[in-house]
Amino acid sequence: MNSPHLRKGSKKPPVAAKGKLRLYSNRFCPYSQRIMLVLDAKKIAYDVVNINLYSKPDWYYDISPLGKIPALELEQGDVLYESLIIADYLDEKYRAHHLHNPDPLQKAKDRLLIEEFNRVVNAMTKILTSIGRVNLDDDQVIANGLTNFERELHNRGTAYFGGTKPGMLDLMIWPWCERAEILKIFGNSNLLKKDKYRNLLEWCKRMTEESTIKRSMMESATHIKYLQSYRAGRPDYDMILNSSD
Amino acid sequence: MNSPHLRKGSKKPPVAAKGKLRLYSNRFCPYSQRIMLVLDAKKIAYDVVNINLYSKPDWYYDISPLGKIPALELEQGDVLYESLIIADYLDEKYRAHHLHNPDPLQKAKDRLLIEEFNRVVNAMTKILTSIGRVNLDDDQVIANGLTNFERELHNRGTAYFGGTKPGMLDLMIWPWCERAEILKIFGNSNLLKKDKYRNLLEWCKRMTEESTIKRSMMESATHIKYLQSYRAGRPDYDMILNSSD
């Protein structure tokens, strides 16, 4: 998943090995990370082709007509887009290690919470990327969102939103929770008060200890360094690749 | 479904009769119509409480905290929102008359098409309600969207997107197709050329002949009259109720 990000002029890679799905991704894209989390949790074999979002290869538009990532290429050549649709597809197609709750009502409630979390995502994106006018309301949107999720986890009384192990809701919100710590650097340092979000912070700690979540996880220092390059107008997608062997 | 639209100050209606779901709705809301279409296609018993969107009753916020419609109240008191999440829930909970394709890949492709149709929905909403600045691009977005769907139906070679009967994709896009004819009044009269959308227009005709779709359907003249009242700032939600016995 740390392969170089292919750019305009790069050669189209050969098809994935037999038995493997292919994820077109970007190492720093939280929506792509959602799909890695699902693939890893369900122990599905896949390879990753990273795409440079500032300079997409021409051939990529043959795979994903709008140039969107993540895109999942299936063995028979079909391609799916939209992180939530891909995630639901994988959970329905590969029945082992199911992620959605088998009860349709609980599943629907979890899907509503994933929708609700979008408000936190949008506010965080504005603060972290400094794209769009950041205002005081963004802090409030994040605080309200986290308060709802803190209450929800408390009411469920379980280690994870999904119960004894991370489920679909845990995985769909995780990429932004992994980045929450860095809000202190780019945003309001008072935002994440330990006493207000006791359950959520314990949940975060448990999530970071899960082997299937560790696989795609990055340190806050890496996220910060990437965001600094992004905000400077030169996103360094290959940072990890360049900094280690 | 043509009951009066309850407004601020109105009395909260008693709970639905045993064995019935309750849909909080608005007679002219296409998202609410999506749920009626699903309930009718699946032959699920329900009643409708119509809500005046310009003057929502206070008690409605106890049912739907953000005051959103459609909202579906289940027998045990749980309430679901978001038309697509409600529709998927109903299809999973009530297995008879299934609407989604049982193949996860085809289901995912249909969900992508429903997402794609949102662009048509947004452009149509701007033209019909004249909220938001209408521009030439909106016509183009609608034309492109319809061209894609025309090609898709042609490629499938079936009477409906769902095959021999309307499936989830058919029902989720129908409310806007029912209103497409009136684009000629409020928008560009050249938009819906018969020769360009032959398959789609035949599909439209077949849809209007389905008894489960007829139930919630309204004539173009009614849609036009409602939109005129809406655009004048006095949406006449009870128009049907007032015009007949």
Side-chain angles (χ1 to χ4, degrees):
Chain A
M1 61 183 67
N2 293 326
S3 59
H5 289 72
L6 303 184
R7 56 166 61 232
K8 217 176 174 68
S10 67
K11 236 184 93 188
K12 186 176 175 175
V15 294
K18 204 172 148 55
K20 276 192 178 177
L21 303 184
R22 165 159 297 164
L23 178 63
Y24 292 92
S25 183
N26 178 289
R27 189 65 185 95
F28 293 94
C29 165
Y31 297 96
S32 296
Q33 190 183 355
R34 276 180 166 174
I35 307 308
M36 291 193 255
L37 288 165
V38 170
L39 290 163
D40 290 341
K42 293 183 76 75
K43 306 190 192 308
I44 298 168
Y46 69 105
D47 72 13
V48 171
V49 169
N50 280 319
I51 301 292
N52 186 312
L53 300 178
Y54 264 56
S55 163
K56 293 175 191 167
D58 291 335
W59 51 258
Y60 189 57
Y61 292 91
D62 298 334
I63 291 160
S64 176
L66 297 171
K68 278 190 179 182
I69 63 144
L72 185 73
E73 194 172 40
L74 310 180
E75 281 203 83
Q76 60 274 44
D78 286 298
V79 180
L80 294 176
Y81 327 95
E82 295 287 340
S83 63
L84 297 180
I85 291 176
I86 298 173
D88 287 351
Y89 162 77
L90 289 169
D91 204 34
E92 282 177 25
K93 177 74 181 177
Y94 300 84
R95 313 295 290 197
H97 311 287
H98 67 83
L99 295 172
H100 269 304
N101 196 298
D103 171 45
L105 177 58
Q106 189 57 51
K107 177 177 170 183
K109 286 180 177 177
D110 285 358
R111 287 183 67 194
L112 283 172
L113 284 166
I114 294 169
E115 286 291 325
E116 189 183 311
F117 193 75
N118 272 343
R119 286 202 290 270
V120 175
V121 167
N122 292 338
M124 265 189 74
T125 304
K126 277 166 70 181
I127 293 173
L128 293 183
T129 63
S130 79
I131 290 177
R133 203 162 53 88
V134 175
N135 54 42
L136 279 176
D137 285 352
D138 293 323
D139 280 353
Q140 199 52 50
V141 165
I142 294 174
N144 291 349
L146 296 184
T147 302
N148 283 348
F149 277 80
E150 171 71 14
R151 190 191 310 119
E152 182 69 27
L153 196 57
H154 174 78
N155 290 345
R156 293 192 185 197
T158 47
Y160 299 100
F161 289 98
T164 55
K165 60 182 183 61
M168 192 61 93
L169 174 55
D170 297 272
L171 300 187
M172 292 303 101
I173 67 173
W174 174 249
W176 292 269
C177 298
E178 180 181 306
R179 290 154 177 81
E181 192 65 20
I182 60 176
L183 279 174
K184 292 181 189 165
I185 310 291
F186 294 103
N188 179 345
S189 59
N190 285 323
L191 198 60
L192 301 168
K193 288 194 188 127
K194 278 208 163 45
D195 51 337
K196 268 188 80 179
Y197 307 117
R198 200 174 53 82
N199 288 289
L200 269 187
L201 289 169
E202 283 171 14
W203 167 83
C204 267
K205 195 164 174 304
R206 276 193 291 272
M207 289 289 279
T208 60
E209 288 160 2
E210 288 278 333
S211 62
T212 57
I213 284 161
K214 271 184 184 157
R215 268 205 83 203
S216 62
M217 205 160 63
M218 285 182 285
E219 299 293 330
S220 289
T222 310
H223 284 302
I224 291 169
K225 213 173 137 198
Y226 163 71
L227 277 169
Q228 283 166 336
S229 75
Y230 180 90
R231 289 159 76 113
R234 292 183 299 274
D236 188 2
Y237 298 127
D238 292 325
M239 172 187 301
I240 302 173
L241 194 72
N242 296 336
S243 68
S244 63
D245 285 341
Chain B
M1 61 184 67
N2 293 326
S3 59
H5 289 72
L6 303 183
R7 56 166 61 234
K8 217 176 173 69
S10 67
K11 235 182 97 188
K12 186 176 176 174
V15 293
K18 205 171 149 50
K20 276 194 179 178
L21 303 184
R22 166 162 296 166
L23 177 65
Y24 292 93
S25 183
N26 179 289
R27 189 64 185 97
F28 293 95
C29 165
Y31 297 96
S32 297
Q33 191 183 353
R34 278 180 166 174
I35 308 307
M36 289 193 257
L37 287 165
V38 169
L39 290 162
D40 290 340
K42 294 182 75 76
K43 306 192 192 307
I44 298 167
Y46 68 105
D47 72 13
V48 171
V49 170
N50 280 320
I51 300 294
N52 186 313
L53 300 178
Y54 265 55
S55 162
K56 294 175 190 167
D58 291 334
W59 51 258
Y60 189 57
Y61 291 90
D62 299 333
I63 291 160
S64 176
L66 298 172
K68 278 188 178 184
I69 64 142
L72 185 73
E73 194 172 41
L74 310 179
E75 280 203 84
Q76 60 273 44
D78 286 296
V79 179
L80 294 176
Y81 328 94
E82 296 286 340
S83 63
L84 297 180
I85 292 176
I86 298 173
D88 287 350
Y89 162 76
L90 289 170
D91 204 34
E92 283 177 24
K93 177 75 181 176
Y94 300 83
R95 312 296 288 198
H97 311 286
H98 68 82
L99 295 172
H100 269 304
N101 195 297
D103 171 45
L105 177 58
Q106 190 55 52
K107 177 177 170 181
K109 287 180 177 177
D110 286 357
R111 287 183 67 196
L112 283 172
L113 285 166
I114 294 169
E115 286 293 325
E116 190 183 312
F117 192 76
N118 272 343
R119 287 202 289 270
V120 175
V121 167
N122 292 338
M124 265 189 74
T125 305
K126 278 165 72 183
I127 294 173
L128 293 183
T129 63
S130 80
I131 288 177
R133 201 161 54 87
V134 174
N135 54 43
L136 279 176
D137 285 352
D138 294 323
D139 279 353
Q140 199 52 50
V141 165
I142 294 174
N144 291 349
L146 295 184
T147 301
N148 284 347
F149 276 79
E150 171 71 15
R151 191 190 311 119
E152 182 70 27
L153 195 56
H154 173 78
N155 290 344
R156 294 192 184 196
T158 48
Y160 299 101
F161 289 99
T164 54
K165 62 184 183 60
M168 192 61 93
L169 174 55
D170 297 273
L171 300 187
M172 292 303 100
I173 68 174
W174 175 249
W176 292 271
C177 299
E178 180 180 307
R179 290 155 177 80
E181 193 65 20
I182 59 177
L183 278 174
K184 292 182 190 166
I185 311 293
F186 293 104
N188 179 344
S189 59
N190 286 323
L191 200 58
L192 301 168
K193 288 190 190 132
K194 279 209 164 48
D195 50 338
K196 268 187 80 177
Y197 307 117
R198 199 175 53 83
N199 288 287
L200 269 186
L201 290 169
E202 283 171 16
W203 167 83
C204 267
K205 193 164 176 303
R206 276 192 291 272
M207 289 289 280
T208 59
E209 287 161 4
E210 288 278 332
S211 62
T212 57
I213 285 160
K214 271 185 183 154
R215 268 205 82 201
S216 61
M217 206 160 63
M218 284 182 288
E219 297 293 328
S220 289
T222 310
H223 284 301
I224 291 169
K225 212 172 138 198
Y226 163 71
L227 277 168
Q228 284 166 336
S229 75
Y230 180 90
R231 289 160 77 112
R234 291 182 301 274
D236 188 2
Y237 299 126
D238 291 324
M239 172 188 301
I240 302 173
L241 194 73
N242 296 335
S243 67
S244 62
D245 283 342

